[in-house]
Amino acid sequence: MAMNRINLEAHPRLNMTKGERNSIRRRGDVPGVVYGKTREPQAIYITEESFKQLRGNGRTLVELTLDGDRISAMVHEVTRDIMNKKPLHIDLHAVNLAEPIHVEIPIFLDGLEAVEKKTNGIIQQQTREVLVKCLPTDVPQFILHNIAALSIGGSVTCGDLTMPSGVTMLSPTDEVVCSVIAAKNAPADTEIEPKEPELVHDTEGKGKNAADKVAR
């Protein structure tokens, strides 16, 4: 399922100081940066009410209103406070809607309970994202794959995943997404982690070279 585009109200950050950044966060707005292939990184902030629209979306194509311009952009990263999960920073990648992009899409597994009940085994998910190529307007929020038919020793590779129309997978087809092993062979720290589609594609601790040029 391709994403719906939403509109975000953005404003330039002028002072580029820690005090300005903290002031933005105190009033509920979210500091960030927008950059692109033909666009120099620019420090911005997204208004609180506007940012709330991102809830319920994965990889998100947005339309930024900034200095009277409208900029199509992908949400690349939302950094959140580890303790309270409040947004601290947003990275936005300006895109050309007519030009294909490479983007990593989360993989979610369906049918976990059926496999566990049938096999009494342990499901290990080795790959959680797949690299795809498509137009920005065709980027899926996530790839969902049903594994209910798997047995002990069975596995799913990237080549087994079904891509939506207009989406080309770039990850190696033989890369293992998940496998089922007997419980007695599982490492001591193995945990079954059923995953549901996340509200926002958040990452922590990842940087973006271009974005790093702009102080957070």
Side-chain angles (χ1 to χ4, degrees):
M1 179 175 59
M3 59 190 65
N4 296 319
R5 205 181 327 176
I6 60 178
N7 297 313
L8 293 182
E9 181 185 343
H11 300 277
R13 286 170 55 192
L14 304 176
N15 297 329
M16 296 300 297
T17 63
K18 182 177 180 180
E20 179 201 43
R21 181 187 62 201
N22 291 339
S23 176
I24 290 171
R25 290 172 177 161
R26 278 196 300 270
R27 64 176 183 254
D29 298 335
V30 183
V33 60
V34 57
Y35 52 87
K37 184 177 180 181
T38 59
R39 184 183 184 89
E40 287 295 316
Q42 180 179 1
I44 61 171
Y45 68 88
I46 306 295
T47 61
E48 180 181 18
E49 287 302 312
S50 187
F51 184 86
K52 288 179 180 178
Q53 297 176 86
L54 292 178
R55 295 177 180 176
N57 295 276
R59 284 289 190 193
T60 310
L61 178 63
V62 301
E63 196 81 6
L64 283 182
T65 301
L66 177 63
D67 285 337
D69 293 332
R70 296 186 68 83
I71 304 166
S72 296
M74 293 288 298
V75 175
H76 174 76
E77 176 182 356
V78 175
T79 304
R80 293 182 180 272
D81 186 280
I82 296 176
M83 300 300 294
N84 58 30
K85 301 302 180 183
K86 289 184 178 180
L88 298 176
H89 193 273
I90 182 170
D91 285 3
L92 295 142
H93 183 198
V95 296
N96 181 341
L97 296 182
E99 182 177 310
I101 60 174
H102 294 184
V103 60
E104 290 185 328
I105 304 300
I107 304 168
F108 296 108
L109 304 177
D110 191 20
L112 285 83
E113 291 184 1
V115 175
E116 293 164 3
K117 184 176 180 180
K118 177 179 66 175
T119 67
N120 196 32
I122 300 294
I123 301 165
Q124 294 183 317
Q125 185 170 356
Q126 292 94 323
T127 301
R128 298 189 179 274
E129 290 186 323
V130 63
L131 182 65
V132 304
K133 176 182 178 182
C134 61
L135 292 175
T137 50
D138 290 334
V139 175
Q141 294 182 29
F142 52 85
I143 302 297
L144 184 65
H145 187 82
N146 190 293
I147 64 169
L150 287 183
S151 301
I152 297 294
S155 63
V156 173
T157 66
C158 287
D160 296 321
L161 303 177
T162 299
M163 295 293 106
S165 176
V167 179
T168 301
M169 182 174 60
L170 300 179
S171 294
T173 57
D174 60 353
E175 183 176 346
V176 176
V177 174
C178 70
S179 56
V180 182
I181 64 174
K184 62 181 180 181
N185 296 327
D189 60 350
T190 296
E191 295 182 1
I192 301 174
E193 299 183 45
K195 294 291 182 179
E196 298 295 336
E198 298 174 355
L199 293 180
V200 178
H201 187 86
D202 293 338
T203 55
E204 296 179 3
K206 292 184 179 180
K208 178 66 179 176
N209 291 338
D212 288 343
K213 297 179 182 177
V214 179
R216 296 189 174 188

PDB file of all heavy atoms in Angstrom, residues 125-159:
ATOM      1  N   GLN A 125      13.881 -13.528  13.092  1.00  0.00           N
ATOM      2  CA  GLN A 125      13.842 -12.601  11.963  1.00  0.00           C
ATOM      3  C   GLN A 125      15.202 -11.946  11.821  1.00  0.00           C
ATOM      4  O   GLN A 125      15.603 -11.111  12.626  1.00  0.00           O
ATOM      5  CB  GLN A 125      12.753 -11.541  12.130  1.00  0.00           C
ATOM      6  CG  GLN A 125      12.622 -10.651  10.889  1.00  0.00           C
ATOM      7  CD  GLN A 125      11.403  -9.738  10.924  1.00  0.00           C
ATOM      8  OE1 GLN A 125      10.595  -9.802  11.841  1.00  0.00           O
ATOM      9  NE2 GLN A 125      11.267  -8.890   9.922  1.00  0.00           N
ATOM     10  N   GLN A 126      15.920 -12.347  10.777  1.00  0.00           N
ATOM     11  CA  GLN A 126      17.275 -11.847  10.566  1.00  0.00           C
ATOM     12  C   GLN A 126      17.304 -10.506   9.832  1.00  0.00           C
ATOM     13  O   GLN A 126      18.233  -9.722   9.996  1.00  0.00           O
ATOM     14  CB  GLN A 126      18.098 -12.878   9.774  1.00  0.00           C
ATOM     15  CG  GLN A 126      18.398 -14.155  10.540  1.00  0.00           C
ATOM     16  CD  GLN A 126      17.391 -15.259  10.288  1.00  0.00           C
ATOM     17  OE1 GLN A 126      16.207 -15.005  10.139  1.00  0.00           O
ATOM     18  NE2 GLN A 126      17.861 -16.506  10.237  1.00  0.00           N
ATOM     19  N   THR A 127      16.328 -10.259   8.989  1.00  0.00           N
ATOM     20  CA  THR A 127      16.290  -9.030   8.194  1.00  0.00           C
ATOM     21  C   THR A 127      14.987  -8.309   8.460  1.00  0.00           C
ATOM     22  O   THR A 127      13.916  -8.894   8.326  1.00  0.00           O
ATOM     23  CB  THR A 127      16.414  -9.348   6.693  1.00  0.00           C
ATOM     24  OG1 THR A 127      17.641 -10.040   6.447  1.00  0.00           O
ATOM     25  CG2 THR A 127      16.387  -8.079   5.856  1.00  0.00           C
ATOM     26  N   ARG A 128      15.084  -7.052   8.819  1.00  0.00           N
ATOM     27  CA  ARG A 128      13.883  -6.293   9.170  1.00  0.00           C
ATOM     28  C   ARG A 128      13.559  -5.193   8.167  1.00  0.00           C
ATOM     29  O   ARG A 128      12.526  -4.526   8.300  1.00  0.00           O
ATOM     30  CB  ARG A 128      14.013  -5.710  10.574  1.00  0.00           C
ATOM     31  CG  ARG A 128      14.146  -6.797  11.640  1.00  0.00           C
ATOM     32  CD  ARG A 128      14.068  -6.249  13.041  1.00  0.00           C
ATOM     33  NE  ARG A 128      14.186  -7.331  14.017  1.00  0.00           N
ATOM     34  CZ  ARG A 128      13.169  -8.050  14.443  1.00  0.00           C
ATOM     35  NH1 ARG A 128      11.949  -7.811  13.974  1.00  0.00           N
ATOM     36  NH2 ARG A 128      13.349  -9.020  15.337  1.00  0.00           N
ATOM     37  N   GLU A 129      14.427  -4.974   7.200  1.00  0.00           N
ATOM     38  CA  GLU A 129      14.160  -3.977   6.164  1.00  0.00           C
ATOM     39  C   GLU A 129      14.634  -4.507   4.819  1.00  0.00           C
ATOM     40  O   GLU A 129      15.594  -5.279   4.749  1.00  0.00           O
ATOM     41  CB  GLU A 129      14.862  -2.653   6.467  1.00  0.00           C
ATOM     42  CG  GLU A 129      14.288  -1.902   7.649  1.00  0.00           C
ATOM     43  CD  GLU A 129      14.917  -0.534   7.832  1.00  0.00           C
ATOM     44  OE1 GLU A 129      16.141  -0.400   7.607  1.00  0.00           O
ATOM     45  OE2 GLU A 129      14.188   0.401   8.185  1.00  0.00           O
ATOM     46  N   VAL A 130      13.981  -4.079   3.762  1.00  0.00           N
ATOM     47  CA  VAL A 130      14.364  -4.455   2.416  1.00  0.00           C
ATOM     48  C   VAL A 130      14.598  -3.178   1.615  1.00  0.00           C
ATOM     49  O   VAL A 130      13.870  -2.188   1.773  1.00  0.00           O
ATOM     50  CB  VAL A 130      13.276  -5.339   1.747  1.00  0.00           C
ATOM     51  CG1 VAL A 130      11.965  -4.591   1.590  1.00  0.00           C
ATOM     52  CG2 VAL A 130      13.757  -5.861   0.403  1.00  0.00           C
ATOM     53  N   LEU A 131      15.640  -3.179   0.791  1.00  0.00           N
ATOM     54  CA  LEU A 131      15.955  -2.016  -0.036  1.00  0.00           C
ATOM     55  C   LEU A 131      15.184  -2.111  -1.340  1.00  0.00           C
ATOM     56  O   LEU A 131      15.244  -3.139  -2.035  1.00  0.00           O
ATOM     57  CB  LEU A 131      17.460  -1.955  -0.318  1.00  0.00           C
ATOM     58  CG  LEU A 131      17.946  -0.744  -1.137  1.00  0.00           C
ATOM     59  CD1 LEU A 131      17.715   0.547  -0.364  1.00  0.00           C
ATOM     60  CD2 LEU A 131      19.423  -0.906  -1.491  1.00  0.00           C
ATOM     61  N   VAL A 132      14.449  -1.045  -1.677  1.00  0.00           N
ATOM     62  CA  VAL A 132      13.645  -1.051  -2.898  1.00  0.00           C
ATOM     63  C   VAL A 132      13.917   0.205  -3.715  1.00  0.00           C
ATOM     64  O   VAL A 132      14.472   1.187  -3.220  1.00  0.00           O
ATOM     65  CB  VAL A 132      12.136  -1.150  -2.584  1.00  0.00           C
ATOM     66  CG1 VAL A 132      11.837  -2.370  -1.734  1.00  0.00           C
ATOM     67  CG2 VAL A 132      11.620   0.123  -1.904  1.00  0.00           C
ATOM     68  N   LYS A 133      13.481   0.160  -4.967  1.00  0.00           N
ATOM     69  CA  LYS A 133      13.571   1.304  -5.867  1.00  0.00           C
ATOM     70  C   LYS A 133      12.191   1.566  -6.432  1.00  0.00           C
ATOM     71  O   LYS A 133      11.525   0.651  -6.934  1.00  0.00           O
ATOM     72  CB  LYS A 133      14.553   1.013  -7.001  1.00  0.00           C
ATOM     73  CG  LYS A 133      14.650   2.126  -8.060  1.00  0.00           C
ATOM     74  CD  LYS A 133      15.604   1.720  -9.169  1.00  0.00           C
ATOM     75  CE  LYS A 133      15.686   2.782 -10.257  1.00  0.00           C
ATOM     76  NZ  LYS A 133      16.592   2.366 -11.358  1.00  0.00           N
ATOM     77  N   CYS A 134      11.748   2.818  -6.342  1.00  0.00           N
ATOM     78  CA  CYS A 134      10.442   3.183  -6.882  1.00  0.00           C
ATOM     79  C   CYS A 134      10.304   4.700  -6.883  1.00  0.00           C
ATOM     80  O   CYS A 134      11.141   5.415  -6.333  1.00  0.00           O
ATOM     81  CB  CYS A 134       9.314   2.549  -6.064  1.00  0.00           C
ATOM     82  SG  CYS A 134       9.285   3.065  -4.336  1.00  0.00           S
ATOM     83  N   LEU A 135       9.238   5.178  -7.497  1.00  0.00           N
ATOM     84  CA  LEU A 135       8.941   6.601  -7.437  1.00  0.00           C
ATOM     85  C   LEU A 135       8.527   6.960  -6.012  1.00  0.00           C
ATOM     86  O   LEU A 135       7.957   6.127  -5.297  1.00  0.00           O
ATOM     87  CB  LEU A 135       7.816   6.953  -8.411  1.00  0.00           C
ATOM     88  CG  LEU A 135       8.127   6.840  -9.900  1.00  0.00           C
ATOM     89  CD1 LEU A 135       6.857   7.095 -10.719  1.00  0.00           C
ATOM     90  CD2 LEU A 135       9.229   7.816 -10.307  1.00  0.00           C
ATOM     91  N   PRO A 136       8.800   8.189  -5.588  1.00  0.00           N
ATOM     92  CA  PRO A 136       8.411   8.587  -4.228  1.00  0.00           C
ATOM     93  C   PRO A 136       6.926   8.370  -3.940  1.00  0.00           C
ATOM     94  O   PRO A 136       6.551   8.058  -2.806  1.00  0.00           O
ATOM     95  CB  PRO A 136       8.773  10.073  -4.189  1.00  0.00           C
ATOM     96  CG  PRO A 136       9.897  10.211  -5.161  1.00  0.00           C
ATOM     97  CD  PRO A 136       9.568   9.253  -6.269  1.00  0.00           C
ATOM     98  N   THR A 137       6.091   8.518  -4.947  1.00  0.00           N
ATOM     99  CA  THR A 137       4.649   8.351  -4.749  1.00  0.00           C
ATOM    100  C   THR A 137       4.238   6.891  -4.622  1.00  0.00           C
ATOM    101  O   THR A 137       3.105   6.590  -4.250  1.00  0.00           O
ATOM    102  CB  THR A 137       3.875   8.979  -5.920  1.00  0.00           C
ATOM    103  OG1 THR A 137       4.423   8.500  -7.156  1.00  0.00           O
ATOM    104  CG2 THR A 137       3.981  10.493  -5.889  1.00  0.00           C
ATOM    105  N   ASP A 138       5.161   5.960  -4.936  1.00  0.00           N
ATOM    106  CA  ASP A 138       4.856   4.526  -4.861  1.00  0.00           C
ATOM    107  C   ASP A 138       5.500   3.833  -3.663  1.00  0.00           C
ATOM    108  O   ASP A 138       5.378   2.615  -3.517  1.00  0.00           O
ATOM    109  CB  ASP A 138       5.320   3.812  -6.142  1.00  0.00           C
ATOM    110  CG  ASP A 138       4.485   4.182  -7.362  1.00  0.00           C
ATOM    111  OD1 ASP A 138       3.310   4.563  -7.170  1.00  0.00           O
ATOM    112  OD2 ASP A 138       4.999   4.102  -8.490  1.00  0.00           O
ATOM    113  N   VAL A 139       6.194   4.573  -2.820  1.00  0.00           N
ATOM    114  CA  VAL A 139       6.887   3.951  -1.687  1.00  0.00           C
ATOM    115  C   VAL A 139       5.867   3.333  -0.729  1.00  0.00           C
ATOM    116  O   VAL A 139       4.994   4.036  -0.211  1.00  0.00           O
ATOM    117  CB  VAL A 139       7.751   4.977  -0.930  1.00  0.00           C
ATOM    118  CG1 VAL A 139       8.370   4.341   0.311  1.00  0.00           C
ATOM    119  CG2 VAL A 139       8.846   5.526  -1.836  1.00  0.00           C
ATOM    120  N   PRO A 140       5.946   2.026  -0.490  1.00  0.00           N
ATOM    121  CA  PRO A 140       5.009   1.403   0.456  1.00  0.00           C
ATOM    122  C   PRO A 140       5.393   1.721   1.894  1.00  0.00           C
ATOM    123  O   PRO A 140       6.565   1.956   2.195  1.00  0.00           O
ATOM    124  CB  PRO A 140       5.154  -0.098   0.164  1.00  0.00           C
ATOM    125  CG  PRO A 140       6.538  -0.230  -0.373  1.00  0.00           C
ATOM    126  CD  PRO A 140       6.849   1.045  -1.105  1.00  0.00           C
ATOM    127  N   GLN A 141       4.399   1.734   2.782  1.00  0.00           N
ATOM    128  CA  GLN A 141       4.691   1.989   4.190  1.00  0.00           C
ATOM    129  C   GLN A 141       5.459   0.822   4.800  1.00  0.00           C
ATOM    130  O   GLN A 141       6.303   1.009   5.671  1.00  0.00           O
ATOM    131  CB  GLN A 141       3.386   2.204   4.965  1.00  0.00           C
ATOM    132  CG  GLN A 141       2.645   3.463   4.558  1.00  0.00           C
ATOM    133  CD  GLN A 141       1.381   3.662   5.368  1.00  0.00           C
ATOM    134  OE1 GLN A 141       1.311   3.236   6.521  1.00  0.00           O
ATOM    135  NE2 GLN A 141       0.391   4.305   4.805  1.00  0.00           N
ATOM    136  N   PHE A 142       5.156  -0.396   4.346  1.00  0.00           N
ATOM    137  CA  PHE A 142       5.847  -1.582   4.840  1.00  0.00           C
ATOM    138  C   PHE A 142       5.548  -2.738   3.890  1.00  0.00           C
ATOM    139  O   PHE A 142       4.654  -2.656   3.043  1.00  0.00           O
ATOM    140  CB  PHE A 142       5.399  -1.952   6.271  1.00  0.00           C
ATOM    141  CG  PHE A 142       3.911  -2.071   6.432  1.00  0.00           C
ATOM    142  CD1 PHE A 142       3.248  -3.256   6.139  1.00  0.00           C
ATOM    143  CD2 PHE A 142       3.166  -0.993   6.876  1.00  0.00           C
ATOM    144  CE1 PHE A 142       1.871  -3.371   6.281  1.00  0.00           C
ATOM    145  CE2 PHE A 142       1.778  -1.096   7.019  1.00  0.00           C
ATOM    146  CZ  PHE A 142       1.137  -2.286   6.724  1.00  0.00           C
ATOM    147  N   ILE A 143       6.325  -3.818   4.023  1.00  0.00           N
ATOM    148  CA  ILE A 143       6.092  -5.056   3.290  1.00  0.00           C
ATOM    149  C   ILE A 143       5.604  -6.093   4.296  1.00  0.00           C
ATOM    150  O   ILE A 143       6.290  -6.374   5.278  1.00  0.00           O
ATOM    151  CB  ILE A 143       7.375  -5.555   2.591  1.00  0.00           C
ATOM    152  CG1 ILE A 143       7.926  -4.501   1.621  1.00  0.00           C
ATOM    153  CG2 ILE A 143       7.108  -6.875   1.869  1.00  0.00           C
ATOM    154  CD1 ILE A 143       7.001  -4.155   0.477  1.00  0.00           C
ATOM    155  N   LEU A 144       4.422  -6.648   4.065  1.00  0.00           N
ATOM    156  CA  LEU A 144       3.838  -7.642   4.964  1.00  0.00           C
ATOM    157  C   LEU A 144       3.911  -9.011   4.300  1.00  0.00           C
ATOM    158  O   LEU A 144       3.498  -9.173   3.150  1.00  0.00           O
ATOM    159  CB  LEU A 144       2.385  -7.288   5.280  1.00  0.00           C
ATOM    160  CG  LEU A 144       1.658  -8.185   6.282  1.00  0.00           C
ATOM    161  CD1 LEU A 144       2.301  -8.080   7.661  1.00  0.00           C
ATOM    162  CD2 LEU A 144       0.179  -7.808   6.356  1.00  0.00           C
ATOM    163  N   HIS A 145       4.456  -9.996   5.025  1.00  0.00           N
ATOM    164  CA  HIS A 145       4.593 -11.352   4.469  1.00  0.00           C
ATOM    165  C   HIS A 145       4.029 -12.369   5.449  1.00  0.00           C
ATOM    166  O   HIS A 145       4.358 -12.351   6.646  1.00  0.00           O
ATOM    167  CB  HIS A 145       6.058 -11.667   4.176  1.00  0.00           C
ATOM    168  CG  HIS A 145       6.258 -12.971   3.460  1.00  0.00           C
ATOM    169  ND1 HIS A 145       6.111 -13.099   2.092  1.00  0.00           N
ATOM    170  CD2 HIS A 145       6.581 -14.204   3.924  1.00  0.00           C
ATOM    171  CE1 HIS A 145       6.339 -14.345   1.739  1.00  0.00           C
ATOM    172  NE2 HIS A 145       6.614 -15.040   2.845  1.00  0.00           N
ATOM    173  N   ASN A 146       3.194 -13.277   4.950  1.00  0.00           N
ATOM    174  CA  ASN A 146       2.587 -14.308   5.783  1.00  0.00           C
ATOM    175  C   ASN A 146       3.490 -15.537   5.827  1.00  0.00           C
ATOM    176  O   ASN A 146       3.878 -16.070   4.776  1.00  0.00           O
ATOM    177  CB  ASN A 146       1.208 -14.688   5.247  1.00  0.00           C
ATOM    178  CG  ASN A 146       0.445 -15.568   6.220  1.00  0.00           C
ATOM    179  OD1 ASN A 146       0.821 -16.709   6.472  1.00  0.00           O
ATOM    180  ND2 ASN A 146      -0.633 -15.036   6.769  1.00  0.00           N
ATOM    181  N   ILE A 147       3.824 -15.989   7.042  1.00  0.00           N
ATOM    182  CA  ILE A 147       4.741 -17.124   7.202  1.00  0.00           C
ATOM    183  C   ILE A 147       4.037 -18.347   7.794  1.00  0.00           C
ATOM    184  O   ILE A 147       4.698 -19.291   8.238  1.00  0.00           O
ATOM    185  CB  ILE A 147       5.940 -16.744   8.091  1.00  0.00           C
ATOM    186  CG1 ILE A 147       5.464 -16.408   9.513  1.00  0.00           C
ATOM    187  CG2 ILE A 147       6.718 -15.574   7.481  1.00  0.00           C
ATOM    188  CD1 ILE A 147       6.590 -16.269  10.516  1.00  0.00           C
ATOM    189  N   ALA A 148       2.696 -18.351   7.781  1.00  0.00           N
ATOM    190  CA  ALA A 148       1.931 -19.406   8.456  1.00  0.00           C
ATOM    191  C   ALA A 148       2.277 -20.806   7.955  1.00  0.00           C
ATOM    192  O   ALA A 148       2.123 -21.791   8.686  1.00  0.00           O
ATOM    193  CB  ALA A 148       0.432 -19.153   8.301  1.00  0.00           C
ATOM    194  N   ALA A 149       2.739 -20.931   6.711  1.00  0.00           N
ATOM    195  CA  ALA A 149       3.019 -22.252   6.139  1.00  0.00           C
ATOM    196  C   ALA A 149       4.392 -22.795   6.521  1.00  0.00           C
ATOM    197  O   ALA A 149       4.711 -23.947   6.214  1.00  0.00           O
ATOM    198  CB  ALA A 149       2.898 -22.185   4.616  1.00  0.00           C
ATOM    199  N   LEU A 150       5.220 -22.016   7.200  1.00  0.00           N
ATOM    200  CA  LEU A 150       6.575 -22.462   7.538  1.00  0.00           C
ATOM    201  C   LEU A 150       6.572 -23.581   8.576  1.00  0.00           C
ATOM    202  O   LEU A 150       5.732 -23.620   9.469  1.00  0.00           O
ATOM    203  CB  LEU A 150       7.411 -21.299   8.064  1.00  0.00           C
ATOM    204  CG  LEU A 150       7.884 -20.242   7.063  1.00  0.00           C
ATOM    205  CD1 LEU A 150       8.761 -19.223   7.773  1.00  0.00           C
ATOM    206  CD2 LEU A 150       8.621 -20.868   5.894  1.00  0.00           C
ATOM    207  N   SER A 151       7.553 -24.476   8.444  1.00  0.00           N
ATOM    208  CA  SER A 151       7.779 -25.546   9.410  1.00  0.00           C
ATOM    209  C   SER A 151       9.194 -25.418   9.954  1.00  0.00           C
ATOM    210  O   SER A 151       9.970 -24.551   9.517  1.00  0.00           O
ATOM    211  CB  SER A 151       7.581 -26.912   8.744  1.00  0.00           C
ATOM    212  OG  SER A 151       6.272 -27.034   8.222  1.00  0.00           O
ATOM    213  N   ILE A 152       9.565 -26.280  10.906  1.00  0.00           N
ATOM    214  CA  ILE A 152      10.925 -26.281  11.443  1.00  0.00           C
ATOM    215  C   ILE A 152      11.917 -26.440  10.298  1.00  0.00           C
ATOM    216  O   ILE A 152      11.786 -27.322   9.451  1.00  0.00           O
ATOM    217  CB  ILE A 152      11.121 -27.424  12.458  1.00  0.00           C
ATOM    218  CG1 ILE A 152      10.204 -27.236  13.670  1.00  0.00           C
ATOM    219  CG2 ILE A 152      12.575 -27.499  12.900  1.00  0.00           C
ATOM    220  CD1 ILE A 152      10.529 -26.036  14.512  1.00  0.00           C
ATOM    221  N   GLY A 153      12.915 -25.576  10.267  1.00  0.00           N
ATOM    222  CA  GLY A 153      13.910 -25.608   9.191  1.00  0.00           C
ATOM    223  C   GLY A 153      13.537 -24.743   8.007  1.00  0.00           C
ATOM    224  O   GLY A 153      14.362 -24.516   7.122  1.00  0.00           O
ATOM    225  N   GLY A 154      12.307 -24.263   7.980  1.00  0.00           N
ATOM    226  CA  GLY A 154      11.864 -23.423   6.872  1.00  0.00           C
ATOM    227  C   GLY A 154      12.352 -21.992   7.011  1.00  0.00           C
ATOM    228  O   GLY A 154      12.690 -21.532   8.110  1.00  0.00           O
ATOM    229  N   SER A 155      12.398 -21.292   5.900  1.00  0.00           N
ATOM    230  CA  SER A 155      12.863 -19.911   5.929  1.00  0.00           C
ATOM    231  C   SER A 155      12.208 -19.104   4.814  1.00  0.00           C
ATOM    232  O   SER A 155      11.633 -19.658   3.877  1.00  0.00           O
ATOM    233  CB  SER A 155      14.391 -19.838   5.781  1.00  0.00           C
ATOM    234  OG  SER A 155      14.792 -20.346   4.516  1.00  0.00           O
ATOM    235  N   VAL A 156      12.307 -17.808   4.934  1.00  0.00           N
ATOM    236  CA  VAL A 156      11.824 -16.865   3.923  1.00  0.00           C
ATOM    237  C   VAL A 156      12.995 -15.998   3.508  1.00  0.00           C
ATOM    238  O   VAL A 156      13.749 -15.503   4.361  1.00  0.00           O
ATOM    239  CB  VAL A 156      10.687 -15.979   4.481  1.00  0.00           C
ATOM    240  CG1 VAL A 156      10.319 -14.893   3.482  1.00  0.00           C
ATOM    241  CG2 VAL A 156       9.463 -16.818   4.815  1.00  0.00           C
ATOM    242  N   THR A 157      13.188 -15.823   2.214  1.00  0.00           N
ATOM    243  CA  THR A 157      14.236 -14.946   1.701  1.00  0.00           C
ATOM    244  C   THR A 157      13.601 -13.706   1.079  1.00  0.00           C
ATOM    245  O   THR A 157      12.388 -13.652   0.863  1.00  0.00           O
ATOM    246  CB  THR A 157      15.094 -15.652   0.644  1.00  0.00           C
ATOM    247  OG1 THR A 157      14.280 -15.930  -0.509  1.00  0.00           O
ATOM    248  CG2 THR A 157      15.673 -16.958   1.194  1.00  0.00           C
ATOM    249  N   CYS A 158      14.429 -12.729   0.788  1.00  0.00           N
ATOM    250  CA  CYS A 158      13.915 -11.508   0.156  1.00  0.00           C
ATOM    251  C   CYS A 158      13.232 -11.826  -1.170  1.00  0.00           C
ATOM    252  O   CYS A 158      12.283 -11.153  -1.570  1.00  0.00           O
ATOM    253  CB  CYS A 158      15.047 -10.510  -0.057  1.00  0.00           C
ATOM    254  SG  CYS A 158      15.622  -9.712   1.467  1.00  0.00           S
ATOM    255  N   GLY A 159      13.720 -12.868  -1.846  1.00  0.00           N
ATOM    256  CA  GLY A 159      13.120 -13.260  -3.113  1.00  0.00           C
ATOM    257  C   GLY A 159      11.704 -13.787  -2.971  1.00  0.00           C
ATOM    258  O   GLY A 159      10.949 -13.854  -3.950  1.00  0.00           O
TER     259      GLY A 159
END
